[in-house]
Amino acid sequence: MANKTESAQTTSAQTAENLIHVRALRSEVFPSEIFDEHAWNMMLRLFVAQAKGDTLSETQLITLTGTPPGVGQRWLAHLVADAQVAPYPEGGAVTLTPSALDRMEAFLRDASGIHQTDGPA
């Protein structure tokens, strides 16, 4: 059973990475300020890191998402208050809460199913 869970988690992590790449492409084509979704970018990055067994510090996460430091810190505080991100010590690893991790997994599983239907028009 653990193998099936690992496989599903790997698929979800790949879907999250694909979403990150598509969002990066979108920001190359359209002005990024019309699509700023700092919290969502952070949650996607945290999901991918956790799925791979990696950890990210606050600074690494803010840098990876291209979020201005002050804005990133405010969004992280909001995500902690909203129980999406686990409370973390200054300089410590930032992680999604178990509940947020489960909901991201479900979302990404559904999103993966939608993307699998992509094909030529």
Side-chain angles (χ1 to χ4, degrees):
M1 185 71 171
N3 204 10
K4 186 173 186 175
T5 301
E6 264 182 45
S7 177
Q9 191 173 28
T10 300
T11 299
S12 292
Q14 184 60 54
T15 299
E17 286 184 310
N18 290 345
L19 287 170
I20 290 167
H21 291 300
V22 168
R23 292 166 69 83
L25 176 63
R26 181 184 70 186
S27 70
E28 290 175 17
V29 177
F30 296 102
S32 64
E33 61 273 0
I34 65 173
F35 292 116
D36 281 341
E37 299 178 41
H38 302 298
W40 184 241
N41 290 336
M42 290 177 173
M43 290 180 67
L44 286 170
R45 290 287 183 175
L46 287 171
F47 182 85
V48 169
Q50 285 178 247
K52 292 182 171 185
D54 295 334
T55 59
L56 296 173
S57 69
E58 178 181 287
T59 302
Q60 289 171 315
L61 180 60
I62 289 171
T63 299
L64 270 175
T65 59
T67 307
V71 173
Q73 291 167 339
R74 285 190 298 276
W75 273 112
L76 280 169
H78 180 75
L79 289 169
V80 168
D82 197 43
Q84 305 302 323
V85 167
Y88 58 94
E90 185 174 333
V94 180
T95 60
L96 294 173
T97 62
S99 173
L101 196 57
D102 288 345
R103 286 181 283 129
M104 285 292 286
E105 177 74 34
F107 167 80
L108 292 164
R109 186 178 49 249
D110 291 347
S112 177
I114 292 167
H115 283 285
Q116 288 176 7
T117 63
D118 289 349

